[in-house]
Amino acid sequence: MNRSALKQVNPSFPLLQVAMDYISIPPALAMALKVADEVDIIEIGTPLCKAAGLDAIRFMREICPDKLILADFKTPDVGGLEAKMAFDAGADMMTVIGGAPLATVQSALEEARKQGKEMLMELTGVRDIIARAKEWRELGVERMVYHRGWDEQDAARQWNENDKDTIRQLIDMGFKVTVTGGLNVELLPFFQELPVSIIICGRSIRETPDPAASAREVRNTIARLWGGSHTPPTSSGSNGTSALNNTAPMAIRYAVSEMGLMMTVDGRDCPGCDSPRRLCQGTQTTIHCPAGVSADNVVHTIGQFFGQSNAIGRVSSDVFFLDPGQLPGSSPHRVIELLTATGHALRQLGCQIDVGAGVAVANQIMSI
Ligand code: 5RP
């Protein structure tokens, strides 16, 4: 369970959180797959929350079942509902903006407690932090995010001794403090004397040639500066499945949508992976044949391109399936071949299919 998972961690040893500040889901998933083994918490960044909402959380939960996930909603109102939405979608933690009314803080906190999850106050823009912190403490808030925002960084705001004093006061008041805002390995020693709980890095991990190596370097630096070692906490959503096992079906679902095909789920039309109505289960994706084409023909023609395989099959006269779970090892290469074969087969049968768009998105999701 996540609250207890977070509490088991030695408070003198900060966890590493990576921020996915993207504006669409596929690059966030691709990046998560690259760095998941090196970080403790994956953040659905505020831009991604706004661009893709709860689906971003759901997909991240699907491909990273063992990781803690934070939804950086920075909620200003309707706290209980937004917290419930984030947690129900699979997040372990969510944030409320420091300027929110106490009633909003309280309702989000109540929902977090009800679900055994965490709500963090986000301090961006809060001027009287200690005064507000006293009020939040009375409500029972335990965690906060001390943040040097992007716009402040653009305006040349540097970390300084006042920040350190405030963070120390917050920790002395009993808060567990996350620090973030343009952090990298060079800046970490500045915080070394503070027992912060979580360190967030975004661009200094994502925007490097080898994000996994960068995350590892941050993690090793944290270990060197703060000492100790720990077993990363895992999410309550964990079912022990490896992240990789989930990517091939997701890549297929995204790709067939990009190709312009319509999936079916339990007889209902599925409007695609970006939809809250997406109900796919397991590794099989069932797809409507385009008008005028039979499933027998589709399966036969895909087989001509791909070879006979249990990964392709007929469901009904006008529905076929693709199942990467039937491909030995579900190697990304074979998944792309399966998609390419499907696209070319349908084209040969006279359908307008954008094979390139489908393959591109599948590659992005599986680019590990
Ligand atoms: C922006 C954020 C970012 O996620 C946070 O600042 C971390 O990003 P970076 O390390 O790239 O500054 O919350 O509002």
Side-chain angles (χ1 to χ4, degrees):
M1 193 256 277
N2 302 303
R3 279 171 65 83
S4 58
L6 270 174
K7 281 177 174 135
Q8 280 162 20
V9 175
N10 176 354
S12 68
F13 190 81
L15 301 182
L16 175 57
Q17 177 171 323
V18 63
M20 299 296 174
D21 288 309
Y22 291 104
I23 56 169
S24 69
I25 296 174
L29 299 183
M31 182 56 65
L33 289 169
K34 283 183 187 159
V35 302
D37 286 347
E38 308 295 343
V39 304
D40 302 297
I41 304 167
I42 294 179
E43 170 187 328
I44 310 297
T46 313
L48 185 55
C49 290
K50 292 186 177 177
L54 302 182
D55 277 343
I57 303 173
R58 288 192 193 102
F59 282 123
M60 196 61 81
R61 172 53 66 222
E62 212 173 298
I63 67 159
C64 294
D66 298 333
K67 287 287 150 188
L68 291 167
I69 293 177
L70 178 139
D72 193 13
F73 276 10
K74 297 189 174 82
T75 292
D77 191 12
V78 201
L81 178 59
E82 291 206 1
K84 182 170 179 356
M85 288 160 66
F87 299 145
D88 287 352
D92 303 293
M93 297 175 260
M94 58 83 67
T95 59
V96 169
I97 196 70
L102 288 180
T104 302
V105 177
Q106 182 147 26
S107 61
L109 190 60
E110 273 168 14
E111 185 62 30
R113 283 182 172 147
K114 198 160 86 188
Q115 297 215 22
K117 309 251 175 153
E118 297 279 353
M119 186 281 286
L120 296 83
M121 293 308 303
E122 229 287 355
L123 302 184
T124 308
V126 180
R127 297 212 175 102
D128 48 352
I129 288 176
I130 300 300
R132 295 282 75 73
K134 285 177 185 153
E135 295 176 332
W136 297 329
R137 197 80 194 122
E138 278 172 27
L139 290 183
V141 172
E142 292 179 36
R143 292 180 178 272
M144 50 183 58
V145 183
Y146 194 94
H147 191 185
R148 178 178 63 136
W150 281 14
D151 295 336
E152 291 178 285
Q153 290 174 55
D154 287 348
R157 148 105 154 83
Q158 304 297 321
W159 288 106
N160 57 51
E161 288 302 319
N162 288 339
D163 294 317
K164 235 192 249 181
D165 283 351
T166 309
I167 294 169
R168 190 177 288 106
Q169 284 185 64
L170 293 171
I171 293 171
D172 288 347
M173 288 169 75
F175 288 105
K176 297 180 185 74
V177 179
T178 297
V179 284
T180 183
L183 295 184
N184 53 34
V185 286
E186 286 77 35
L187 277 168
L188 289 182
F190 179 77
F191 298 97
Q192 184 184 3
E193 66 200 75
L194 300 168
V196 295
S197 295
I198 298 170
I199 287 166
I200 308 178
C201 289
R203 291 162 293 183
S204 66
I205 289 177
R206 293 192 320 268
E207 296 178 6
T208 61
D210 185 345
S214 302
R216 201 172 311 123
E217 194 188 357
V218 174
R219 190 173 210 170
N220 289 340
T221 305
I222 291 172
R224 182 169 52 77
L225 294 172
W226 276 270
S229 66
H230 71 284
T231 307
T234 56
S235 168
S236 59
S238 168
N239 58 8
T241 317
S242 114
L244 282 178
N245 291 343
N246 293 307
T247 59
M250 184 174 303
I252 297 259
R253 287 162 196 158
Y254 262 101
V256 298
S257 287
E258 285 296 313
M259 287 180 181
L261 295 166
M262 181 73 84
M263 289 180 276
T264 75
V265 179
D266 297 331
R268 278 172 286 183
D269 288 347
C270 177
C273 286
D274 279 326
S275 168
R277 290 198 294 120
R278 182 189 66 85
L279 295 167
C280 302
Q281 299 289 334
T283 55
Q284 192 178 90
T285 297
T286 50
I287 303 159
H288 278 301
C289 296
V293 179
S294 76
D296 287 331
N297 258 347
V298 173
V299 171
H300 176 72
T301 315
I302 298 173
Q304 286 180 329
F305 283 97
F306 187 74
Q308 294 309 310
S309 168
N310 290 339
I312 319 151
R314 177 190 192 277
V315 176
S316 66
S317 61
D318 59 355
V319 173
F320 68 102
F321 72 80
L322 299 178
D323 188 350
Q326 300 300 321
L327 297 173
S330 287
S331 88
H333 183 65
R334 285 297 276 163
V335 173
I336 296 298
E337 284 182 350
L338 177 61
L339 283 166
T340 309
T342 303
H344 287 311
L346 287 164
R347 273 195 184 167
Q348 184 162 303
L349 293 168
C351 311
Q352 297 275 330
I353 296 292
D354 191 343
V355 185
V359 167
V361 77
N363 263 323
Q364 209 173 6
I365 288 172
M366 294 189 297
S367 65
I368 51 174

